[in-house]
Amino acid sequence: MTPDRSSPTLRPLGLVILLLGLFLPLTDFFIVNVALPTIDRDLHASPGMLQLVVAGYGTAYAVLLVVGGRVGDAIGRRRLFVLGMSSFTVTSLACGLAPNALVLVLARAAEGAAAAMMLPQVLSTIHTAADGPSRAKALGYYGAAGGLATVAGQLLGGLLVSANIAGTGWRPIFLLNVPVGILGVLLSRKIPATRSNAPAPVDGAGTSLLGATLLSFLIPLTEGRSLGWPLWTVLLLCLSPFLALLFVRVERRVEVRGGVPVVPLSVISVRSVWRGTVTGTPFFISFGGFMFVYALCLQDGAGWSALRTGLTMVPLAFGYLIASLAMPRLLARIGTWMLTIGAAFLVFGFTLLALVLTAGWPRPAVVPLCAASLAVGIGQGMVLTPLFRIMLSEVPLHLAGVGSGVLNTMQQTALAVGVATVGSFYLSESSAGALGVLHATVIVLAALAVLEVFVGWSTRALPDEARERAKR
């Protein structure tokens, strides 16, 4: 990361407001999952539109994350944070008032773009306005808040949908962001004002190609089945690998000429980054796919309410919290074995979920489901919380900001791909009533367990500080 023009101290209240800028966007990625059946009934959305409500947000978010980081470096991180939170508040209001599914999808994409302005400023400000133990503590809070937000979204969504405040159904899941966002904007003066002395320019060509690549892949996957796979969806899907290759060539050319591409290949070639990407990509694909499918399974197949479905996520959140808090000590003592054990917890949790659902369908036992959710939460916390720290461990300090943007882009892209791919399979296989839902869910859980076996195997190639110290 390049030196800053100012390095004021990050105070506790400033850190709280920054973490709010992390918590809101990540919560909003998942908060709609338990509300999707209600949105479907209210807006008469197609299955593809339901997926785009989730994946459209994640795609805009992923494509513009690096752009948001670079603009913040140039004009001031606090300034762009305030602009991003203000835009996020307005677009959340638009989502809450959407009259139909198309407007909701477009508002969600705009909400994702606003989140991309806000979130990169969080990690950049922590890196530049905190040091030593205070930075380590702040990064620990950052990891815990990010992971808990993904689970809190499910629970909060269930509570709000079931409450049906004034007959508004699903709309409060977005409208709640409005007062919270206004409060964040009012207190944003507590965030230190920092900017970079030498901000990297925005890579317009690379950003456009990245967006085109993701859209050409995600739109056919989400809309193709419901439309009967018209020719344009097939052609668009076939175009996506060629756009991906063109994106790589353009990024390589920008970097060779001395520029800073949206996804620098020099950063990806760092050992900790590319090995972490091999681990992180299937992990986040399974994460996004599981969160999308599990909520639909319990509501559409078992007939559970949104609140009851959200409550089954409480053990998952508790397990994640335990693993997140134990992360620094475990990582220091057992190194990357922590991630391997976490992947094993995920395999166990997915397998147990499949067995419990099969044994009790369509009235699965609550206690065993909660035990399985607890195992999944522990596994997610043991993998997700330390993963970014390990991936950035070998990135040069002056590239830390760029590296963080690349990793966040990978995370959000994989989450969106998980929703599109796993969600499309689930929706296509679950249309034959309750038994179809069970059949599709069990197949999905089996596939996710296989993915986590690969994740566990790949963690052994990650750089391990504890192992290196033992050798010395």
Side-chain angles (χ1 to χ4, degrees):
M1 182 174 293
T2 55
D4 286 338
R5 295 182 183 177
S6 59
S7 296
T9 303
L10 178 61
R11 304 294 182 186
L13 182 55
L15 177 61
V16 170
I17 302 304
L18 279 175
L19 293 180
L20 183 63
L22 166 73
F23 193 85
L24 282 177
L26 293 186
T27 300
D28 250 53
F29 186 92
F30 292 100
I31 198 169
V32 299
N33 286 349
V34 295
L36 288 175
T38 308
I39 293 173
D40 184 20
R41 289 191 296 269
D42 186 24
L43 300 183
H44 308 290
S46 68
M49 278 293 190
L50 289 180
Q51 286 177 272
L52 286 175
V53 168
V54 181
Y57 175 90
T59 302
Y61 192 13
V63 170
L64 296 174
L65 266 172
V66 175
V67 175
R70 293 183 186 176
V71 174
D73 287 347
I75 71 172
R77 298 178 183 110
R78 184 174 68 188
R79 180 182 300 177
L80 194 62
F81 180 90
V82 173
L83 179 60
M85 182 162 283
S86 301
S87 302
F88 190 84
T89 302
V90 172
T91 52
S92 294
L93 179 62
C95 289
L97 300 177
N100 56 55
L102 178 60
V103 172
L104 179 58
V105 168
L106 294 175
R108 281 282 286 172
E111 191 183 36
M117 287 192 286
M118 179 168 54
L119 187 136
Q121 319 318 319
V122 178
L123 198 56
S124 296
T125 302
I126 290 174
H127 272 291
T128 56
D131 54 19
S134 62
R135 180 188 291 175
K137 185 179 293 186
L139 289 173
Y141 289 137
Y142 178 93
L148 284 174
T150 60
V151 178
Q154 303 273 357
L155 178 57
L156 188 58
L159 287 170
L160 292 174
V161 171
S162 295
N164 193 24
I165 302 169
T168 53
W170 54 271
R171 298 181 186 276
I173 67 176
F174 300 114
L175 297 177
L176 181 65
N177 292 335
V178 177
V180 177
I182 291 173
L183 179 64
V185 171
L186 292 176
L187 294 177
S188 62
R189 297 295 299 176
K190 300 297 182 180
I191 299 172
T194 64
R195 67 169 62 183
S196 174
N197 278 332
V202 173
D203 175 16
T207 301
S208 300
L209 279 171
L210 177 60
T213 301
L214 290 176
L215 290 175
S216 66
F217 179 70
L218 295 176
I219 289 178
L221 283 180
T222 55
E223 286 293 310
R225 185 190 66 85
S226 61
L227 296 176
W229 292 103
L231 181 60
W232 69 266
T233 59
V234 177
L235 293 177
L236 202 57
L237 193 60
C238 292
L239 182 63
S240 61
F242 296 99
L243 287 173
L245 289 174
L246 181 59
F247 169 71
V248 171
R249 291 191 63 180
V250 168
E251 296 298 270
R252 181 180 289 115
R253 182 178 302 172
V254 169
E255 194 161 19
V256 167
R257 292 178 176 177
V260 184
V262 66
V263 180
L265 300 183
S266 60
V267 172
I268 294 179
S269 64
V270 173
R271 182 185 64 156
S272 64
V273 174
W274 71 261
R275 290 186 179 181
T277 301
V278 171
T279 297
T281 300
F283 170 76
F284 287 116
I285 286 175
S286 70
F287 198 161
F290 170 72
M291 291 297 192
F292 181 84
V293 166
Y294 189 52
L296 288 177
C297 161
L298 292 179
Q299 292 184 75
D300 290 342
W304 286 17
S305 68
L307 176 59
R308 190 179 184 186
T309 300
L311 286 174
T312 63
M313 295 294 180
V314 172
L316 195 154
F318 183 67
Y320 187 94
L321 179 61
I322 293 173
S324 297
L325 294 177
M327 185 273 290
R329 183 175 300 177
L330 287 174
L331 197 59
R333 295 188 65 177
I334 66 175
T336 54
W337 278 109
M338 177 177 175
L339 286 85
T340 311
I341 296 170
F345 266 99
L346 284 165
V347 172
F348 171 75
F350 290 148
T351 304
L352 182 58
L353 275 176
L355 292 174
V356 172
L357 290 172
T358 302
W361 195 257
R363 296 180 178 83
V366 174
V367 173
L369 275 184
C370 288
S373 292
L374 177 66
V376 171
I378 292 173
Q380 288 177 342
M382 293 184 75
V383 176
L384 190 153
T385 308
L387 182 60
F388 277 14
R389 174 176 168 178
I390 292 172
M391 291 179 73
L392 288 172
S393 63
E394 296 179 350
V395 176
L397 185 60
H398 70 281
L399 291 176
V402 177
S404 298
V406 170
L407 301 190
N408 280 310
T409 299
M410 177 272 291
Q411 177 189 21
Q412 297 305 319
T413 300
L415 287 171
V417 169
V419 172
T421 54
V422 178
S424 292
F425 172 81
Y426 170 82
L427 291 171
S428 66
E429 295 294 320
S430 63
S431 56
L435 287 178
V437 169
L438 175 63
H439 175 76
T441 304
V442 170
I443 293 177
V444 165
L445 289 172
L448 297 185
V450 172
L451 270 182
E452 296 303 337
V453 170
F454 174 80
V455 169
W457 171 79
S458 68
T459 60
R460 306 314 310 141
L462 292 173
D464 189 337
E465 295 177 10
R467 193 162 57 218
E468 294 300 321
R469 285 198 302 271
K471 288 180 180 178
R472 292 196 295 266

